[in-house]
C-alpha cells in the first residue's frame, strides 16, 4: 500500500473506533416515504423533502420539458453564456414568491452561503454566527477572513454583548467595520427556531446586517409559505434572505433574495456564482415548478398535511408550543455508538432514521434526526409512533447540549 493510502487507512481506523465512520448507503428507489435499501423496503423518516415534491408530476414534467428545449447542461457559468431563460425565470419566481425586490439562484445552498458571505464581508469586518449554524455558514465565516465571533445558541444576551464589543472595536481604530449576523431560522439538526424578531431589533439598534438561512423553513411557514421570517412578520427587515431549493421545494440549488443592489452586487462579487457552471436547466425548471406548487392551493393543502403528521406523531401531550413547531423532530441519544445502535435496531424494524454524529453535531450530542413529510400517510406515522414507543425513544426533544461547540 502506498504511503498515503496507509496514512488514510490509519485515519479511517480512528474514525471507526470513535463511532464516527460514515459510509454511503445505496438507495435503489426514488426518494419518497418508502425507500429500497439492500433489497428491503423501509419507511423513510430522514428526508428534507417536507412537502413530498421530489416526485411531484408537475416538477418532473417541468424538468423533462426543459431538457428537450434547452438540453442537459448549461454550457458555462451564467456570466459567460450560461444565463438561460430558465435561470432568469427561476430568479424572478423566487423574488415574487418571497415578496423581495430581487433574487439570485445558486447551484447549491452550500455555494450560496460561501459566495454570499465572502462577497459581503472581509478582514476589516466582523461576522457573528449562532453556535449551531450549518457547516456551509461556518465554512464561509472562516473563509471570508472577517473577525469571527460565535454567540451561544439563540442567546440574545450573548449576541448583544458581542455587538457591543464590536461597536467599541469599531471606535478603536477609526475604520468603518461592517458587522454581519448570520443565523438559521429553523435549525437543521434541532428543529428549533431562532428569535428573529428580537434579532431584528438588535441588528437595527447596533446598525449591523442580518442574514437568515431559511433552508428548513422555506415552503412550510407563513401565510404565503415564504418561511419563518414571514410567519414572524419580519421578512422586510432581514437584509439577506437565504434559502435552499432542494428541501421543501423539491429540486436543487440555493438562493439569496433582498434588495436589487444586493443581487447586482452578488452577480459581480460572489465567487461561487461567477466561477461555476450554471445549474442544469432541469434543476432550474424543477425549482420554479416547486415554488409555483408551494404557492398554489395544493401547496397550502400539502403544508396542512405535514403539520397534521407532526401532531399525529407527537400526540396531544406534546411539549412543543404551536409557534415552535417543526418537521425536524430529533431523538436525542448523546453517545455516538448508542445512536448507531438505535438506528440499526429501527432499521431492522423497517424504519429508516439516520444517526447524526460529530462533526454534524457536537461530540456526545449524537441523535436520530427524524423528519416527517406530507408524503407520509397517517398509517406510516402510526407505525413509526408504535416502533419508537416500543424502544422508549422520544421524538422532538428540544434539549440542546450545553457543551455544543462551534464546528
Ligand atoms: C442543506 C442546508 C444548506 C446547504 O444546502 P444544499 O443545497 O444542500 O447545498 C445550507 N444551510 C442549511 C441550514 C441547510 O440545512
Amino acid at each position: 500500500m502506498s504511503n498515503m493510502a496507509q496514512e488514510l487507512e490509519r485515519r479511517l481506523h480512528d474514525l471507526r473506533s470513535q463511532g464516527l465512520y460514515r459510509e454511503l448507503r445505496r438507495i435503489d428507489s426514488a426518494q419518497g416515504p418508502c425507500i429500497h435499501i439492500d433489497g428491503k423496503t423501509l419507511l423513510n423518516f430522514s428526508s428534507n423533502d417536507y412537502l413530498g415534491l421530489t416526485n411531484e408530476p408537475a416538477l418532473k414534467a417541468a424538468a423533462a420539458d426543459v431538457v428537450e428545449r434547452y438540453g442537459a447542461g448549461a454550457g458555462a457559468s451564467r456570466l459567460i453564456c450560461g444565463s438561460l431563460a430558465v435561470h432568469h425565470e427561476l430568479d424572478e419566481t423566487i423574488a415574487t414568491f418571497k415578496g423581495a425586490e430581487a433574487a439570485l439562484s445558486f447551484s447549491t445552498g452550500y455555494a450560496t452561503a460561501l459566495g454570499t458571505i465572502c462577497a459581503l464581508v472581509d478582514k476589516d469586518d466582523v461576522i457573528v454566527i449562532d453556535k449551531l449554524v450549518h457547516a456551509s455558514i461556518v465554512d464561509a465565516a472562516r473563509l471570508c477572513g472577517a473577525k469571527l465571533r460565535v454567540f451561544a445558541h439563540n442567546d440574545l444576551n450573548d449576541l448583544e454583548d458581542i455587538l457591543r464589543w464590536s461597536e467599541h472595536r469599531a471606535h478603536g481604530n477609526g475604520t468603518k467595520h461592517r458587522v454581519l449576523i448570520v443565523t438559521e431560522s429553523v435549525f437543521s439538526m434541532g428543529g428549533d427556531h431562532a428569535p428573529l424578531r428580537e434579532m431584528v431589533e438588535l441588528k437595527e439598534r447596533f446598525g449591523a446586517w442580518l442574514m437568515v438561512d431559511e433552508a428548513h423553513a422555506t415552503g412550510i411557514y407563513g401565510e404565503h409559505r415564504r418561511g419563518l421570517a414571514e410567519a414572524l412578520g419580519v421578512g422586510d427587515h432581514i437584509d439577506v434572505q437565504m434559502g435552499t431549493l432542494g428541501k421543501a421545494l423539491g429540486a436543487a440549488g440555493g438562493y439569496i433574495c433582498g434588495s436589487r443592489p444586493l443581487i447586482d452586487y452578488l452577480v459581480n462579487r460572489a465567487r461561487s456564482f461567477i466561477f461555476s457552471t450554471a445549474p442544469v436547466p432541469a434543476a432550474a425548471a424543477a425549482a420554479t415548478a416547486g415554488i409555483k406548487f408551494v404557492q398554489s392551493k395544493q401547496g397550502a393543502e400539502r403544508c396542512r398535511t405535514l403539520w397534521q403528521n407532526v401532531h399525529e406523531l407527537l400526540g396531544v401531550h406534546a411539549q412543543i408550543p404551536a409557534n415552535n413547531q417543526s418537521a425536524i423532530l430529533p431523538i436525542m441519544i448523546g453517545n455516538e455508538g448508542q445512536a448507531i445502535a438505535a438506528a440499526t435496531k429501527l432499521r431492522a424494524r423497517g424504519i429508516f432514521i439516520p444517526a447524526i454524529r460529530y462533526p454534524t453535531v457536537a461530540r456526545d450530542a449524537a441523535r436520530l434526526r427524524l423528519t416527517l413529510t406530507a408524503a407520509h400517510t397517517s398509517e406510516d406515522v402510526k407505525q413509526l409512533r408504535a416502533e419508537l414507543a416500543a424502544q422508549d425513544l422520544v421524538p422532538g426533544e428540544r434539549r440542546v447540549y450545553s457543551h455544543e461547540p462551534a464546528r
Side-chain angles (χ1 to χ4, degrees):
M1 224 192 300
S2 74
N3 182 317
M4 184 188 191
Q6 270 176 19
E7 166 66 22
L8 297 183
E9 274 301 348
R10 250 196 312 278
R11 294 187 198 173
L12 287 168
H13 176 80
D14 286 348
L15 286 177
R16 280 197 194 88
S17 65
Q18 295 172 65
L20 297 178
Y21 186 74
R22 296 170 181 227
E23 58 196 326
L24 296 170
R25 215 171 262 117
R26 172 174 162 157
I27 312 266
D28 292 305
S29 57
Q31 271 305 325
C34 287
I35 48 175
H36 302 303
I37 303 181
D38 295 335
K40 259 187 96 171
T41 301
L42 302 174
L43 270 177
N44 176 20
F45 294 102
S46 66
S47 169
N48 300 315
D49 179 23
Y50 301 118
L51 297 175
L53 292 188
T54 60
N55 267 299
E56 187 60 35
L59 275 72
K60 294 200 280 190
D65 178 55
V66 300
V67 170
E68 283 306 318
R69 286 192 292 138
Y70 292 98
S77 94
R78 287 184 61 182
L79 283 163
I80 302 293
C81 69
S83 200
L84 304 178
V86 282
H87 298 124
H88 290 266
E89 277 162 29
L90 173 57
D91 292 350
E92 284 156 21
T93 304
I94 295 167
T96 307
F97 166 50
K98 296 283 290 181
E101 212 171 284
L104 186 67
S105 53
F106 290 70
S107 47
T108 66
Y110 190 98
T112 308
L114 222 59
T116 301
I117 289 172
C118 293
L120 291 175
V121 288
D122 66 19
K123 63 178 175 31
D124 295 325
D125 304 316
V126 177
I127 183 160
V128 191
I129 63 176
D130 185 286
K131 205 173 186 178
L132 298 187
V133 289
H134 189 260
S136 59
I137 297 168
V138 175
D139 292 357
R142 289 181 179 146
L143 184 65
C144 73
K147 178 82 187 154
L148 172 59
R149 297 295 309 266
V150 179
F151 60 98
H153 180 52
N154 278 345
D155 186 331
L156 292 162
N157 290 325
D158 203 20
L159 173 59
E160 184 171 347
D161 285 347
I162 292 172
L163 292 174
R164 198 167 292 121
W165 163 87
S166 65
E167 216 175 31
H168 286 301
R169 182 178 184 268
H171 290 307
N173 57 14
T175 50
K176 183 85 185 138
H177 299 285
R178 295 296 169 194
V179 178
L180 176 66
I181 307 166
V182 192
T183 189
E184 279 168 59
S185 60
V186 174
F187 282 83
S188 61
M189 294 299 140
D192 54 333
H193 298 188
L196 293 182
R197 281 192 194 134
E198 292 78 3
M199 291 181 78
V200 162
E201 196 269 319
L202 274 178
K203 81 110 191 165
E204 280 172 0
R205 178 139 55 91
F206 286 91
W209 295 343
L210 177 61
M211 172 169 171
V212 176
D213 181 354
E214 297 247 42
H216 297 278
T218 307
I220 58 176
Y221 293 88
E223 191 189 344
H224 301 94
R225 295 173 288 290
R226 289 171 183 165
L228 189 67
E230 183 195 16
L232 295 175
V234 293
D236 294 340
H237 298 269
I238 292 164
D239 306 281
V240 187
Q241 295 202 59
M242 173 181 160
T244 60
L245 303 166
K247 288 166 180 157
L249 298 175
Y255 68 81
I256 294 290
C257 60
S259 66
R260 171 51 63 190
L262 168 67
I263 298 310
D264 291 345
Y265 185 72
L266 292 179
V267 169
N268 280 273
R269 279 285 183 265
R271 294 171 64 87
S272 62
F273 175 84
I274 299 170
F275 299 106
S276 191
T277 301
V280 296
T288 301
I291 294 169
K292 295 209 160 128
F293 187 98
V294 162
Q295 290 175 296
S296 71
K297 274 209 177 78
Q298 273 177 300
E301 186 57 40
R302 254 341 137 81
C303 212
R304 271 195 293 279
T305 306
L306 170 66
W307 298 125
Q308 264 164 22
N309 282 342
V310 170
H311 291 140
E312 169 118 42
L313 178 68
L314 298 179
V316 285
H317 303 300
Q319 299 291 305
I320 299 168
N323 65 2
N324 203 10
Q325 69 182 351
S326 171
I328 304 165
L329 302 159
I331 299 166
M332 297 309 214
I333 307 277
N335 176 270
E336 286 80 19
Q338 281 171 15
I340 293 175
T344 307
K345 237 170 154 179
L346 284 169
R347 221 163 40 245
R349 301 286 308 164
I351 304 279
F352 184 73
I353 311 176
I356 304 289
R357 295 157 288 160
Y358 177 84
T360 309
V361 294
R363 284 184 196 276
D364 293 317
R367 67 201 64 181
L368 302 180
R369 179 178 181 270
L370 159 57
T371 54
L372 289 176
T373 75
H376 291 114
T377 65
S378 130
E379 289 310 309
D380 295 340
V381 179
K382 283 196 183 102
Q383 191 181 332
L384 169 67
R385 210 173 142 167
E387 293 296 343
L388 294 181
Q391 300 193 30
D392 274 334
L393 296 171
V394 182
E397 267 189 284
R398 286 296 147 72
R399 172 154 41 106
V400 171
Y401 291 91
S402 57
H403 64 277
E404 282 183 297
R407 272 162 284 153

